[in-house]
Amino acid sequence: MRLLRFGQLGSEKPGLLDADNTIRDLSGIIDDITPANLSDEVLQRLGQLDPASLPIVEGTQRLGPCVSGTGKYLCVGLNYSDHAEESGMTPPPEPILFMKATSAIVGPNDDVVLPRRSEKSDWEVELGIVIGSETKYVSEQDAIDHIAGYCVLNDLSERTFQLERSGQWVKGKSADTFGPVGPYLVTRDEVPEPNNLHLWLEVDGKRYQDGTTANMIFKVPYLVSYISQFMTLMPGDIIATGTPAGVGMGQSPQVYLREGNMMRLGIEGLGEQAQRIVTPR
C-alpha cells in the first residue's frame, strides 16, 4: 500500500495511490497519515479497503511529506563503505547517529532553499524507515515488526556548517527544506527486502549517485534494534539509513548545489522526488 498526503502546505489530506497511480482520498476514513494511524491495526484496515470505493483526487496535486507529526528524525552516518571512502573517513565499527531537525521536513517536490552563507550544500539520496509502534530495546529479529514502512529521503547537507565549523553534524543537516520526505509511505509488506533496493540521484540530468541498499554496512533490522537501545522510537519517527557514493563532496573537483539546479532522485519501488534549488529571498 502506498500512502501519501496531498494538498497545500499546512492543509494536506491523507491519500492512497491505487494500482493505476491514481490518488484516492482517504480523508473520509482517517484524519491524516499521523503517528496514531501507523499501527498494524490501522494499516491492516486501510489495506482491506477497495481503492475503487474511495473518491478520486482530480488534477495535479502538491504532495506533502508522506507522514505528519514526526517527533524524531534520526540519521545514520557513513553507512555505505563507498561513501565513507569518498569522504576520506574510516567505516565506523558501529552506527554513527545524529539528528536532523524536524523543521527541515518538506514535501518530496517542494523547492529546496539554500541557507544564507551556504557554500557547500550537498545531496544524499537515502532509504527512510518510518516507525509504526513504540520501540524500546527491541531485538534485531523482531525489529521489522516495528516498522510501518519505507520512503525516499534526500538528506541535504551544508558541508561547511557540518564539517568545518566544529561541533555536531546537526547544524549542517537542519536548514529549512533540507528534509524532503516521500512521495509515498510504502508499507513494509510491500518491501520484503529493504536491503536490496536500487537508489539513485541526478542533478541537472547528470547521474551522480547510482547504488544499492545491499551495500549498507549496517542493515535495516540492525539499525532499528541498535537505535532502540539508546532511546525509545515512537510512531512517526524517521530513520535515514545513509547514502551511497556520489555526493558532491566526493567529486573531483567537488560539486555543490547552486540556484537553479534541479535534483531528481528515487528508490526502486518507493517512487521519485524532484526539487528545484532556490536562494533565500
Side-chain angles (χ1 to χ4, degrees):
M1 185 168 50
R2 294 175 291 176
L3 300 174
L4 53 84
R5 301 173 66 246
F6 65 93
Q8 295 304 306
L9 178 65
S11 301
E12 294 93 344
K13 295 181 178 180
L16 177 154
L17 200 70
D18 69 17
D20 296 323
N21 293 323
T22 298
I23 297 177
R24 300 284 181 159
D25 190 344
L26 278 173
S27 59
I29 309 296
I30 56 174
D31 57 345
D32 202 351
I33 311 298
T34 63
N37 288 327
L38 296 177
S39 68
D40 283 351
E41 292 75 18
V42 173
L43 295 180
Q44 288 170 6
R45 177 162 57 89
L46 295 178
Q48 291 170 357
L49 295 172
D50 177 5
S53 68
L54 300 170
I56 291 176
V57 178
E58 303 287 355
T60 301
Q61 296 287 332
R62 170 191 173 267
L63 297 181
C66 59
V67 61
S68 68
T70 293
K72 293 191 290 297
Y73 191 135
L74 289 145
C75 302
V76 182
L78 304 179
N79 196 29
Y80 289 71
S81 56
D82 54 358
H83 174 53
E85 181 179 354
E86 72 174 352
S87 301
M89 301 178 187
T90 302
E94 58 183 280
I96 295 172
L97 300 182
F98 58 95
M99 295 281 197
K100 192 179 191 87
T102 56
S103 55
I105 294 174
V106 290
N109 304 318
D110 290 344
D111 289 347
V112 166
V113 182
L114 297 180
R116 293 179 182 178
R117 296 178 293 280
S118 170
E119 299 174 4
K120 299 178 180 179
S121 288
D122 204 347
W123 55 82
E124 295 187 14
V125 59
E126 305 202 11
L127 172 67
I129 300 169
V130 178
I131 298 298
S133 59
E134 185 173 330
T135 307
K136 186 173 184 177
Y137 299 122
V138 72
S139 68
E140 189 173 350
Q141 180 179 356
D142 294 335
I144 292 291
D145 294 338
H146 291 257
I147 295 173
Y150 305 92
C151 61
V152 181
L153 304 177
N154 191 351
D155 177 25
L156 287 127
S157 311
E158 212 301 332
R159 302 300 187 190
T160 306
F161 301 172
Q162 177 191 2
L163 302 173
E164 299 176 23
R165 295 186 58 179
S166 76
Q168 298 184 350
W169 289 1
V170 62
K171 66 189 177 210
K173 298 282 186 172
S174 296
D176 294 347
T177 75
F178 266 33
V181 174
Y184 324 121
L185 170 64
V186 182
T187 51
R188 71 172 187 266
D189 58 300
E190 294 198 9
V191 191
E193 297 186 28
N195 284 114
N196 189 27
L197 302 175
H198 177 227
L199 68 172
W200 56 272
L201 181 144
E202 298 175 350
V203 179
D204 293 340
K206 179 176 179 178
R207 183 156 295 196
Y208 285 95
Q209 293 188 278
D210 200 352
T212 170
T213 60
N215 289 337
M216 283 185 189
I217 298 170
F218 305 106
K219 309 302 185 184
V220 165
Y222 181 84
L223 290 174
V224 173
S225 173
Y226 179 86
I227 296 171
S228 79
Q229 310 306 307
F230 301 98
M231 66 193 79
T232 301
L233 294 168
M234 300 299 293
D237 286 353
I238 293 172
I239 302 172
T241 57
T243 197
V247 300
M249 181 176 63
Q251 306 303 308
S252 183
Q254 293 178 336
V255 178
Y256 293 110
L257 295 167
R258 297 291 181 261
E259 183 174 19
N261 288 153
M262 283 294 303
M263 288 183 291
R264 288 184 61 247
L265 57 147
I267 301 179
E268 176 186 354
L270 303 185
E272 298 184 11
Q273 300 183 355
Q275 297 114 23
R276 179 173 61 114
I277 305 300
V278 300
T279 52
R281 293 174 175 82

